[in-house]
Every structure is written in C-alpha cells, then in structure tokens.
Amino acid sequence: MNSSENLKNALEVMYKTYDNVKKLMDYCISFAGEKTEYDCFSDKSLRWKTGVSPESWLTNSFILLFQNRNSKDCDSDNGWKNDSIYAMEICLGEKGKTNPPLIYLSRFEYHDINAWSKGCSTSDFWGFFNPIRRNDDMDFSEEGDFRVGVPKNQKSSDTYWGLKKVVTKTVDLFDITAENVGEKIFNEFDRLANIE
C-alpha cells in the first residue's frame, strides 16, 4: 500500500470517528434533557482551535458542559445555575500519550459563578481542558476512582475563572453504549457531586 492510499484510509477513519463523536454528543444532550436532571449549557462542543500549533490541527477533544436544572439560577441572570459545572470531554487521544480514547467526566466548582458573563464559546475550551491536566497550575490528589485538583494559588484560580476545585473520573470511550449512557455518564455526575 502506498502513502497516498494510507492517508486516504486514515482520513476516512477520522471522518467516521467524527460522525460517531457527533452522534454520541447529540445522544447525550438529548438523553440528559429527557431522562436526567442535567441540561447541556454549551450549544456546541468546546474544542481547541488554533492555526499555530500542529497538535490543534487534528481535533481530538470535544467538551460539553452540563448543569443540574434544579439548581438555583444565578442572581445576575447570566444564564448559569449558581452551582457546579459538569463537563463531559470525549478525548480521542493526546500527542505523546498511549492511553486509549477516554471520556473525562468532571465537576468544576467555582468561587463565584454568579459573576460570569453569559455562555461559553468554543474557544473557552482551555478553561475546562487545562485544569484537569496542568501540574504547574493545579495540585492533584487521588480519592478512590476520582482525581481531585485544587489551584496552587490565587493566580491559578483566577486564570480559570475563580476555580475552587475540579473532580474528575475517566471512562473508556469504548465502554459507552446507548444502553449505559445514564449509568456511565450521568450517574457518575451524581457521584462527582458528592465528592468533597
């Protein structure tokens, strides 16, 4: 097989993968709205988009944001609930890492989400991607199946919009089916809510 054929096949696999990622995200948004207490607060997935870094030319990570619809609205009428944000990140892989495709499920707790402006843009990706990975900004500890991250200092907290803490669990992407989305994703959000 020649290089041209290899590239063509690789692109075909990526296009099919992106179609499947879109179907999974759409299904999760629909499932959440119909069968859980969570609503999606991102009208499109957050993702890294830049022309500078070659790693960003291949979209490998997609983030959806959810909040519990029963939580109190922010007094500032900014469209957010005055509560934690739950992120579902579909990560197809990262350069230099050998882990399988994963779903990162995270609860982001903030000092004052009431002070935020409305919504998030696609480019706000870094604010939910970096805090679960950056050892230079965060102190991490393990708590059973969960990884807890706390900003190292006030500057790190301010960098991530007043982040107080993030709690994360990973799930193998290929373990997710239409039949177990409730258990593997939204029940895990419930568990994340109870980690102090």
Side-chain angles (χ1 to χ4, degrees):
M1 195 176 283
N2 64 32
S3 296
S4 176
E5 192 68 21
N6 286 343
L7 182 57
K8 180 179 150 204
N9 290 338
L11 283 171
E12 188 61 32
V13 168
M14 285 310 304
Y15 290 139
K16 286 181 182 174
T17 300
Y18 286 157
D19 285 343
N20 288 332
V21 166
K22 173 86 166 94
K23 286 176 189 172
L24 176 58
M25 289 190 302
D26 289 347
Y27 184 75
C28 286
I29 291 168
S30 174
F31 185 93
E34 294 170 11
K35 299 184 179 178
T36 76
E37 297 178 343
Y38 297 94
D39 283 328
C40 187
F41 273 70
S42 44
D43 56 346
K44 51 190 157 195
S45 69
L46 283 60
R47 56 200 178 279
W48 190 19
K49 297 185 72 116
T50 179
V52 177
S53 175
E55 290 88 20
S56 72
W57 299 348
L58 170 67
T59 305
N60 64 337
S61 181
F62 309 83
I63 298 174
L64 293 176
L65 304 178
F66 296 86
Q67 284 195 295
N68 189 313
R69 80 173 61 94
N70 297 320
S71 297
K72 185 179 179 297
D73 291 338
C74 284
D75 293 333
S76 63
D77 198 29
N78 62 5
W80 294 101
K81 299 289 186 178
N82 195 14
D83 201 356
S84 298
I85 293 177
Y86 297 85
M88 179 186 88
E89 176 191 344
I90 300 170
C91 183
L92 302 177
E94 296 178 68
K95 185 176 180 179
K97 295 191 178 177
T98 59
N99 52 291
L102 295 170
I103 293 184
Y104 289 85
L105 302 171
S106 302
R107 175 176 59 95
F108 289 82
E109 187 179 332
Y110 298 92
H111 290 287
D112 187 13
I113 198 168
N114 195 59
W116 286 23
S117 57
K118 282 192 177 206
C120 271
S121 72
T122 300
S123 62
D124 290 325
F125 168 87
W126 61 271
F128 301 96
F129 183 87
N130 290 349
I132 65 173
R133 293 173 170 85
R134 303 266 317 245
N135 290 321
D136 54 335
D137 287 332
M138 307 290 289
D139 286 322
F140 293 105
S141 61
E142 304 297 324
E143 199 166 310
D145 293 347
F146 302 97
R147 187 173 195 221
V148 179
V150 177
K152 285 184 182 279
N153 51 45
Q154 189 63 46
K155 182 180 178 201
S156 293
S157 174
D158 292 345
T159 296
Y160 301 114
W161 311 308
L163 181 65
K164 188 188 296 183
K165 175 172 60 176
V166 59
V167 182
T168 303
K169 176 173 183 176
T170 58
V171 178
D172 189 313
L173 175 61
F174 295 114
D175 286 347
I176 303 298
T177 66
E179 291 74 33
N180 68 17
V181 158
E183 172 196 346
K184 296 272 189 180
I185 294 177
F186 296 100
N187 287 359
E188 289 301 327
F189 282 170
D190 291 341
R191 289 183 66 206
L192 288 166
N194 294 314
I195 302 293
E196 291 300 322

